[in-house]
Every structure is written in structure tokens, then in C-alpha cells.
Amino acid sequence: QNGVMSGLMQMLLLKVSAHITEQLGMAPGGEFREAFKEASKVPFCKFHLGDRPIPVTFKRAIAALSFWQKVKLGWGLCFLSDPISKDDVEKCKQKDLLEQMMAEMIGEFPDLHRTIVSERDIYLTYMLKQAAKQIELPRASENEPRRYIPAVVVGVVGMGHVPGIEKNWNSDLKIQEIMSVPPPSTSSKIFKFVLKATVFGLLGYGCYRIGHRTVQFVLSMPAAQSYLQRLTEVSQH
């Protein structure tokens, strides 16, 4: 639905998620599921998913990477097998280690960090500021002065986004640019064509081989041979 490259990226990230789940016995994103449960207990509480839509993030991330960066990233995700323990997760909560991991990501994939982390910092900040606007109370008439009450907002975000949200909080944010999806590059078009041609070619070859073997099997049966012999005799007469 969202394109070949986005589909492949989602499959790879699902593989990473399954690897983490297998190692830790718990699935990533538990904090968001817990937030949803807690919100349902609060009267009149509205639960809002405030992150940028995944298809937009994936398409922008893929468009930002060169062909070889895509290959390198895909290779790394395909063969991810490093063990992860709960102690490792606790260590990741330390700010110094988290900043070090972010710095490594920036050094290796700067464009990926920009689209997956920095742009989402801006989007999350914008959505939190929208939610934090004062609430206007209903008025009995047009002449009655406007009255407002402050909104109470609880934002649940990944730790890696907190510094970016703090940095962008007092900025005048516009999200139109980071919501646009750039057109596919020439390398992406070529890769898409090659991938489709390979898949359809393999399917066609598989159908041919199955059909060829099926015909050979049917013709080798005594009943089929007897029938063919009769047809030959009739055609000769």
C-alpha cells in the first residue's frame, strides 16, 4: 500500500521488534500501551496519537538515503543477532549513553537521524503545543467575556526525543515541509523495477516448472498412455 521500499523497511523493523521481544520477553512500545490504559481510567481524558504517520517517516527516510546506505542499513537489520538483556535496557536510560548512541547514529547515517529523530522531534513538539493550548469555556451570550482554563497534558515520548522537544519548544514551528513526501529517486525506480522483474520472473519460472512436471507425470500414467495410443490409431485410420 505504501510502496515497495516502505514495505521492505517495515518488514525489517518488524524483524528487529521480534528480535527484541524474543530477547527480553516484552514487546517494544509498552510505555504507549500503558499510557492508553491509564488514560481510559481518567474521566473526560482524550487519548491522542501525536507522532508523524509511519508511511511519511519511512518514505522521507528512504528518500534521504543513498542506494549504498540503503543496502548497508538493510544488511545490518537483516543480520541483527546481538543479544539484549534487561540490564542493557536500563543502561540505555542513562542520558550519557543515550547521547553517545545518538551521536553514533548521526555519524553513520546523518540523513536517517534527521528524518527519523530530528524531524519527529519537531512534529512531536508541534502536536504537544497544540494539545497544551488553553481551553475556551462555553459562553452564555456573545457579550459575555471569553474565559479559558489551562489544558492538562501528559506527553509520553521516547527518551531520545526529550532533548529535541525541549530545544524546539519555544520555536515557531511549521510542519508542512516535514509532512511532504519527495518523489522517488532514479535509483529507487531502478531498484523497484528490478525487484518486480525478479519476483515475477521467479513466479513465472516456478509456474512453468510445476506445469512441466505435472504434464510429464500425467503423460506417464498408464491410462493417459492408453488414451494417447487410441488417439494415434484413430488419426491413422
Side-chain angles (χ1 to χ4, degrees):
Q1 290 179 350
N2 298 315
V4 176
M5 291 300 297
S6 291
L8 289 172
M9 184 67 76
Q10 281 190 274
M11 286 170 63
L12 290 173
L13 290 178
L14 283 172
K15 180 183 181 297
V16 174
S17 177
H19 172 69
I20 294 171
T21 305
E22 183 182 6
Q23 293 283 322
L24 299 178
M26 65 180 93
E31 67 271 33
F32 304 118
R33 286 186 284 274
E34 198 62 32
F36 180 74
K37 290 179 187 176
E38 292 299 318
S40 64
K41 301 175 186 176
V42 181
F44 308 108
C45 179
K46 293 181 180 179
F47 183 83
H48 182 67
L49 299 172
D51 203 350
R52 185 170 64 178
I54 289 176
V56 176
T57 298
F58 276 175
K59 286 180 179 180
R60 286 186 64 84
I62 291 164
L65 294 175
S66 67
F67 176 76
W68 292 113
Q69 283 180 320
K70 291 172 188 173
V71 172
K72 185 179 179 182
L73 179 65
W75 183 268
L77 293 175
C78 278
F79 295 96
L80 180 73
S81 58
D82 296 337
I84 304 168
S85 66
K86 292 186 179 180
D87 290 336
D88 293 331
V89 176
E90 292 301 318
K91 288 178 184 176
C92 286
K93 294 178 183 178
Q94 299 172 18
K95 190 175 181 182
D96 292 342
L97 183 60
L98 188 66
E99 288 176 352
Q100 180 185 339
M101 291 168 65
M102 286 293 184
E104 289 175 1
M105 184 180 179
I106 293 171
E108 193 165 4
F109 296 104
D111 293 322
L112 195 66
H113 180 273
R114 174 176 54 80
T115 52
I116 290 184
V117 180
S118 301
E119 288 184 0
R120 286 173 59 226
D121 288 345
I122 294 170
Y123 190 90
L124 289 166
T125 307
Y126 179 85
M127 297 304 287
L128 281 168
K129 288 179 76 171
Q130 291 294 110
K133 285 182 177 179
Q134 289 186 325
I135 302 168
E136 184 179 356
L137 295 174
R139 293 183 295 169
S141 66
E142 291 292 330
N143 297 326
E144 188 179 340
R146 297 177 185 272
R147 291 184 299 158
Y148 299 88
I149 58 171
V152 179
V153 180
V154 178
V156 181
V157 299
M159 281 187 67
H161 290 292
V162 174
I165 291 172
E166 291 175 348
K167 175 185 173 184
N168 291 306
W169 189 260
N170 293 318
S171 304
D172 183 21
L173 302 173
K174 292 181 172 52
I175 61 169
Q176 289 82 3
E177 185 182 343
I178 62 172
M179 288 300 292
S180 63
V181 178
S185 62
T186 305
S187 61
S188 296
K189 290 178 180 178
I190 293 171
F191 179 78
K192 184 178 180 180
F193 174 77
V194 170
L195 184 66
K196 281 187 175 181
T198 303
V199 170
F200 284 117
L202 289 172
L203 282 173
Y205 180 72
C207 292
Y208 166 75
R209 293 291 296 175
I210 292 170
H212 184 65
R213 288 186 178 182
T214 303
V215 170
Q216 284 184 328
F217 175 74
V218 171
L219 292 177
S220 66
M221 296 174 65
Q225 289 182 349
S226 175
Y227 181 72
L228 288 172
Q229 188 175 1
R230 288 180 185 176
L231 281 177
T232 304
E233 292 174 355
V234 169
S235 63
Q236 287 175 351
H237 288 299

